[in-house]
Amino acid sequence: MEFIAQLVNQVNSLLWDELLIFLLCGTGIYYTLRLGFIQIRHFGSGFKALFGGISLSGAKADKQGMSSFQAVATAIAGQVGTGNLAGPATAIIAGGPGAIFWMWVSSFLGMATIYAEAMLAQKFRSKDKNGQVVGGPAYYIEKGLNCKWLACIFSVLVIIALGFIGNMVQSNSIAAAFNSSLGVPGWVIGIVLAVITGVVIMGGISSIASFTEKVVPIKAVFYLLGTLVILVHNAHYILPAFKSIFVAAFNPTAVLGGGAGIAIQQAMRFGIARGLFSNEAGMGSTPHAHAVAKVERPEQQGYIAMMGVFVVCVIVTLTALAIITSGMSMWELGGKTQTNFLGVFTGQGIAVTQQAYTYVYGYFGSLFISVSLFFFAFSTIVGWYYYGEMNIRYLFNSQRAVRAYQLVVIAFIFIASFFKVELVWNMADMFNGLMVLPNLVALILLSPIVIKMSKYVGGKVAENKV
């Protein structure tokens, strides 16, 4: 086991600290340039499509797919998880406040990448033997590249990374949070999660779409309002916080002092890595949802897919500001005894976020994060389950296989609530990283198709019927 743990850590270091940062950012830069900064030119179109289509009770999803908003809500359900609460804290502590600037950069580039993913998902979607619309990277890898073996590898990695191990991590995060804030035993949370998950996922695509279109807007509003209270309380520090983000991105010592030991390279590395992990652009997860959207033209779903990354960026930014402003406030209150305002925080990840919220809300700050984490992580469970189901359908094309997959996912969710195994968390990161590679191969090799489908003539998009 020690050998396996060491091997997993080495693979993760290679993937997330070196390889994927360059590959994902490079893909984002390539699509940004080739598509003429589409995330700027069509930001308004995406914004209007997202917020104009919000509905807590839209058209019922069926075998023919779901509405455009339901599709992006399912995608955001997977994107906005524990990483959006713990990710900014991890980036700030490891890379300083400047890491948030690089998270913005990765999100900007990711909007172009995810547009391409949505376009390809729409272009190469298909139907299984039961007549249900299906799609995702496995389909555009097989049909676009004529490479079934690579598509099968991707499918297996998604099922393991998201459907099984990833959802165990989410379940464990929820159980740990409620045990910390309310003392609720892990097995109780495990039962509740398993039952609710079973009810949602066994209802099929209509149940999943109905769940995400309701929960995603509600959880976003709940969290944003709670965070805005923090920012109002720390209003005096908002402008200094923004200043620290921009200055520390290029000169960390000017904000943190030489004793902090944080360099520009660290700010870039941790900011970009956490940003890419949070918004999932290029990872090959969200195309499963965008593939089944009922739209007239692929680019319509591409525009709204970009807004999923934008929503994640807003949540990450507000979380980061809450942490930085609370740290500044606590630092001054303590007589500036620390070398810099990050010195007031202890622990990593979600613990740092809880400290920032507890500073304003007291005990209820920890409870607020626990409730937010429940909504964030549980909706991620549903979204990631759905991505895994798409790949079960791809590999087996069988309803029995889907049912067996559902039962295994429910069992894993229950079991994971009992314990936290560091190896499982690290393996989740590893499989997440590995599944990116086949998707990036497809995104680069199929880029001429995306570019051709996005050609502009006289300022208008060429007609591209799905």
Side-chain angles (χ1 to χ4, degrees), residues 91-345:
I92 291 168
I93 296 300
I100 302 305
F101 173 84
W102 298 109
M103 290 184 80
W104 294 339
V105 171
S106 68
S107 295
F108 177 77
L109 298 175
M111 290 174 74
T113 305
I114 211 164
Y115 168 86
E117 289 182 294
M119 292 283 279
L120 291 172
Q122 282 280 315
K123 171 71 175 177
F124 292 102
R125 68 182 188 171
S126 183
K127 289 185 178 181
D128 63 14
K129 68 178 183 180
N130 296 314
Q132 180 165 318
V133 174
V134 290
Y139 293 88
Y140 57 70
I141 290 172
E142 179 183 350
K143 293 184 177 182
L145 299 180
N146 194 27
C147 193
K148 187 173 178 63
W149 65 268
L150 187 61
C152 290
I153 290 175
F154 174 84
S155 288
V156 171
L157 289 172
V158 170
I159 293 167
I160 295 174
L162 303 183
F164 296 152
I165 299 179
N167 278 339
M168 289 181 71
V169 169
Q170 300 296 329
S171 172
N172 184 264
S173 297
I174 296 172
F178 275 94
N179 181 262
S180 174
S181 61
L182 295 176
V184 180
W187 66 268
V188 174
I189 299 298
I191 291 176
V192 172
L193 284 176
V195 170
I196 299 176
T197 301
V199 170
V200 173
I201 67 177
M202 289 193 172
I205 187 173
S206 62
S207 177
I208 292 171
S210 177
F211 170 82
T212 57
E213 74 175 347
K214 293 177 177 61
V215 171
V216 168
I218 291 173
K219 76 173 183 180
V221 171
F222 172 77
Y223 182 72
L224 293 179
L225 288 177
T227 305
L228 286 175
V229 172
I230 302 279
L231 297 181
V232 169
H233 181 274
N234 298 328
H236 179 67
Y237 299 97
I238 292 178
L239 288 180
F242 272 110
K243 181 180 178 181
S244 72
I245 289 172
F246 285 104
V247 172
F250 303 98
N251 186 12
T253 57
V255 174
L256 303 174
I262 294 176
I264 296 176
Q265 184 181 7
Q266 282 179 279
M268 291 179 65
R269 170 188 162 189
F270 287 101
I272 291 174
R274 297 318 303 175
L276 293 170
F277 190 77
S278 295
N279 62 50
E280 298 187 21
M283 289 182 64
S285 52
T286 60
H288 298 97
H290 295 303
V292 300
K294 298 176 183 177
V295 290
E296 292 184 2
R297 299 192 304 270
E299 64 271 10
Q300 293 173 331
Q301 196 60 28
Y303 299 153
I304 199 170
M306 294 192 299
M307 291 301 100
V309 176
F310 174 72
V311 169
V312 171
C313 186
V314 169
I315 291 174
V316 165
T317 300
L318 291 178
T319 303
L321 288 175
I323 293 170
I324 295 172
T325 58
S326 294
M328 288 178 168
S329 182
M330 286 186 279
W331 180 50
E332 288 201 352
L333 189 66
K336 299 186 178 182
T337 55
Q338 291 80 18
T339 56
N340 63 73
F341 64 88
L342 296 185
V344 302
F345 294 114

Side-chain angles (χ1 to χ4, degrees), residues 422-442:
E422 194 66 31
L423 177 60
V424 174
W425 287 63
N426 290 335
M427 286 180 68
D429 284 344
M430 182 181 73
F431 281 106
N432 274 331
L434 290 174
M435 74 182 231
V436 176
L437 299 177
N439 186 54
L440 287 181
V441 170

